[in-house]
Amino acid sequence: GQSNERQKVELPDGSQANVKSFPINHAEAVIYPKSTDPVLNKEAFRTWQFIRLPEELGGKKNEVASFRMYSMVCLHLWCLWKYWPEDGRKRGECPCHGSMYDPMTGMAFAGPASLQAPPSNVLPRLDLEIDDKGDIWIKPPNWSPSANGVVGYGRYLT
């Protein structure tokens, strides 16, 4: 169930994300909260996009501000969007109806999600922390629209 303990940012290869090795302007899908049941772990609502921002948005610094972790569930009709690192893109894009998300804030700026009223135009996000080894951890969230947000529903930009 819900725990008050932090969880590691576990990459698809099973390793823990680390500021020294995770590439700038790169993203991976991460499962949270991770359970011992592989079927549960495939649920869209447990799928998060862990992003290291591009250099021009501060991604070069080895600090927590260089990273974002957003729910991959698009706020429009719950397809899974993903981050595109290419020049001229560098944004989250949903393949279903073209909603686009700002990697800095998680706010939709194009497509149907951008036309939805707050909080349904901003992706839920998880708060991160980095330990002295550079390993990245997810802090226990507060699932409220005015805090970390609600998956599939959204978050108020504060």
Side-chain angles (χ1 to χ4, degrees):
Q2 287 287 11
S3 82
N4 296 323
E5 291 174 21
R6 64 186 191 172
Q7 180 181 303
K8 63 185 180 182
V9 175
E10 188 179 319
L11 300 176
D13 67 1
S15 67
Q16 183 168 3
N18 187 288
V19 294
K20 300 180 189 99
S21 55
F22 196 84
I24 295 167
N25 190 32
H26 180 71
E28 293 286 353
V30 170
I31 304 306
Y32 181 90
K34 184 125 191 206
S35 80
T36 50
D37 181 340
V39 176
L40 276 182
N41 289 338
K42 288 194 173 68
E43 287 178 353
F45 274 46
R46 292 178 188 254
T47 313
W48 296 76
Q49 188 87 137
F50 175 69
I51 303 169
R52 185 164 194 166
L53 294 170
E55 192 170 329
E56 62 269 29
L57 295 180
K60 203 164 132 177
K61 302 190 188 90
N62 282 343
E63 57 192 44
V64 79
S66 298
F67 296 88
R68 295 290 186 275
M69 194 160 178
Y70 298 116
S71 169
M72 284 182 71
V73 176
C74 179
L75 296 168
H76 174 228
L77 289 176
W78 297 0
C79 294
L80 293 187
W81 63 273
K82 69 173 202 145
Y83 178 74
W84 291 88
E86 290 84 2
D87 280 340
R89 282 178 113 170
K90 297 188 182 172
R91 61 194 175 214
E93 294 182 13
C94 181
C96 294
H97 305 99
S99 293
M100 295 185 191
Y101 294 97
D102 178 345
M104 283 293 284
T105 61
M107 186 172 205
F109 67 86
S114 69
L115 306 175
Q116 297 179 163
S120 294
N121 60 345
V122 180
L123 293 164
R125 72 181 267 188
L126 292 168
D127 298 311
L128 304 168
E129 61 186 14
I130 299 173
D131 66 19
D132 48 16
K133 294 196 292 285
D135 288 330
I136 306 172
W137 299 82
I138 300 164
K139 293 178 175 179
N142 169 3
W143 299 122
S144 148
S146 51
N148 291 94
V150 177
V151 174
Y153 178 64
R155 171 173 62 95
Y156 289 107
L157 259 192
T158 45

